Amino acid sequence: LRWLSVVVQWHASRSKDRRMAEEEEQFAADATLVAANVPLDEAYTRAALSANCKFNPLVLNSLMESMKAQSHNFSVEAPGCHPTTFTSRIDDVHARVLCQAFATRARFLVKLDLSHNLLTD
């Protein structure tokens, strides 16, 4: 009976690992589809919509300003202590949205300010 309990626990942990791996693969596939050849602000809004996340106005403004500068480089300044984003702080789910939106362009990100948000370790 003890042996059976160990086998069931092992199988449950393997299933969880497999599900997590499948979720990561899906996330990578979604990131490639969303961010491939789409403007940064549109990639961000699409990624946020697909994750049912609220847009962060500072992220959107930063992306739009970077696009107006007509440079390959871009920056994101979205401190959580700013009055316009106090109720829409960036959390771990939203951080995944940012990763998805910027996946194909991360090498052009020159500044990222997400201070005073709800990010965990």
Side-chain angles (χ1 to χ4, degrees):
L1 189 61
R2 185 174 217 179
W3 178 82
L4 182 60
S5 173
V6 170
V7 169
V8 168
Q9 287 176 347
W10 177 81
H11 182 67
S13 70
R14 296 277 295 159
S15 295
K16 183 179 178 182
D17 292 342
R18 192 174 315 121
R19 274 184 272 138
M20 288 176 66
E22 288 171 359
E23 287 176 6
E24 290 299 321
E25 287 175 17
Q26 182 62 41
F27 174 75
D30 289 347
T32 303
L33 290 174
V34 169
N37 293 314
V38 177
L40 280 170
D41 60 338
E42 190 175 333
Y44 169 67
T45 54
R46 284 185 187 182
L49 286 172
S50 72
N52 293 324
C53 280
K54 205 172 165 183
F55 302 129
N56 183 295
L58 292 181
V59 172
L60 207 48
N61 288 342
S62 293
L63 296 176
M64 290 169 65
E65 286 177 17
S66 295
M67 288 173 36
K68 285 179 187 174
Q70 296 182 347
S71 172
H72 289 304
N73 296 332
F74 69 99
S75 63
V76 175
E77 295 184 46
C81 61
H82 193 277
T84 61
T85 59
F86 194 74
T87 58
S88 61
R89 289 184 176 173
I90 295 171
D91 59 7
D92 293 338
V93 173
H94 203 112
R96 288 181 62 99
V97 167
L98 295 174
C99 291
Q100 184 177 355
F102 307 149
T104 60
R105 301 178 191 146
R107 66 181 176 269
F108 300 114
L109 180 63
V110 293
K111 182 177 182 180
L112 180 65
D113 179 4
L114 301 178
S115 60
H116 305 289
N117 278 287
L118 302 174
L119 298 170
T120 61
D121 294 340

